[in-house]
Amino acid sequence: MAIIKDSIGIKIHGQIGKQFTVYERLGKTVMRSVPEGFRPTGEGQLAQQKRMKGCNTFYKAVRHVGLARWWNEAEKRAGWTGHNLFMHRNLPAFSERGWIEAPEKIRLTEENGVRLPDGVRLERTEGEAERWVVSWTEATRYPAVEPDDRAVVAVMRGGKYFDVKFVEIMGDTRRRDCRLEFVKPEKLKEHVYCYLYFESEGGKSVSSSVYLGILS
């Protein structure tokens, strides 16, 4: 039995893979190996297990496209890993089935040195069904914000699908432009949930992501 001294901020009850079960005991988060032949009982325990399994699968998808580095490098409590922080931020987006059913709660990146701009909004260009415009303002002069920060747009399917894709932005868009355009390719027609974040010019720091809405 292992006691996790630093809780990740939410009550966790469930099974991680086939080897460990996690639960709260006397105010502490405990991880215990699962006995051979163990089967979870109770609707609540089963639902939490599915949430954790779904969120863990989503983490693998995020890691596959290179975003896990931002979670590993983000500031976090002593004893936390990037995976712990990711689970803490994203578990609330998952339903009892283990599906993403609250895409607005999804966080693809965690703020690490770059701030999001103000007033971010998504609009479809008239006459162009799959051409989109994202705009923002720089009303607040945040420290450590540079006009050359690069915008990144990501899309995903959601539901029981956890794959994340990046869309190509038209031109060399920077924070100072306060506007970007992109065309969603036909092959990504099912990827309707859209997110934005900014990276520093040297690619050493990142903002948190923000949910832009549904591309429909």
Side-chain angles (χ1 to χ4, degrees):
M1 179 182 72
I3 298 176
I4 303 173
K5 294 183 179 180
D6 292 278
S7 170
I8 62 173
I10 51 178
K11 291 184 178 180
I12 292 181
H13 300 271
Q15 189 173 343
I16 302 177
K18 297 181 179 180
Q19 296 180 314
F20 301 101
T21 183
V22 181
Y23 58 94
E24 296 289 328
R25 182 175 182 272
L26 301 177
K28 296 181 179 179
T29 302
V30 178
M31 182 170 64
R32 184 189 296 273
S33 60
V34 177
E36 186 175 352
F38 171 82
R39 293 292 183 273
T41 58
E43 293 183 4
Q45 187 178 10
L46 287 168
Q48 189 68 0
Q49 179 183 343
K50 289 180 180 179
R51 288 190 184 96
M52 293 179 67
K53 183 178 179 179
C55 194
N56 193 55
T57 300
F58 182 48
Y59 177 76
K60 294 177 181 179
V62 166
R63 185 176 61 191
H64 179 72
V65 295
L67 295 179
R69 61 166 290 201
W70 300 122
W71 294 94
N72 292 330
E73 295 175 7
E75 184 178 350
K76 43 193 173 288
R77 291 183 184 179
W80 280 22
T81 65
H83 180 262
N84 292 147
L85 184 59
F86 180 90
M87 295 289 286
H88 169 62
R89 296 290 192 225
N90 287 285
L91 196 60
F94 285 78
S95 71
E96 295 180 355
R97 295 183 293 177
W99 294 9
I100 295 176
E101 293 194 351
E104 71 279 4
K105 295 181 180 179
I106 287 294
R107 187 79 66 82
L108 297 179
T109 56
E110 180 76 357
E111 183 181 316
N112 180 21
V114 177
R115 297 293 297 271
L116 282 168
D118 304 298
V120 179
R121 57 185 300 182
L122 172 72
E123 297 177 291
R124 185 166 59 187
T125 303
E126 286 188 31
E128 298 284 351
E130 290 300 321
R131 186 164 179 164
W132 298 85
V133 174
V134 180
S135 60
W136 59 88
T137 66
E138 292 292 344
T140 305
R141 302 303 302 173
Y142 295 110
V145 164
E146 300 295 335
D148 286 337
D149 291 341
R150 294 180 179 274
V152 181
V153 175
V155 293
M156 69 178 196
R157 285 187 285 178
K160 60 181 179 180
Y161 303 104
F162 308 129
D163 54 323
V164 177
K165 304 291 184 182
F166 298 107
V167 297
E168 185 175 353
I169 295 172
M170 300 173 67
D172 184 22
T173 301
R174 305 299 181 102
R175 177 187 291 268
R176 61 173 174 264
D177 298 317
C178 292
R179 187 178 188 275
L180 67 82
E181 293 186 29
F182 68 90
V183 176
K184 191 177 76 166
E186 177 64 20
K187 65 182 180 180
L188 297 180
K189 65 180 180 180
E190 295 182 357
H191 292 68
V192 297
Y193 300 125
C194 188
Y195 301 84
L196 172 77
Y197 64 89
F198 284 81
E199 290 184 3
S200 64
E201 166 65 12
K204 295 182 178 180
S205 54
V206 70
S207 74
S208 59
S209 65
V210 61
Y211 176 59
L212 297 178
I214 296 177
L215 303 176
S216 60

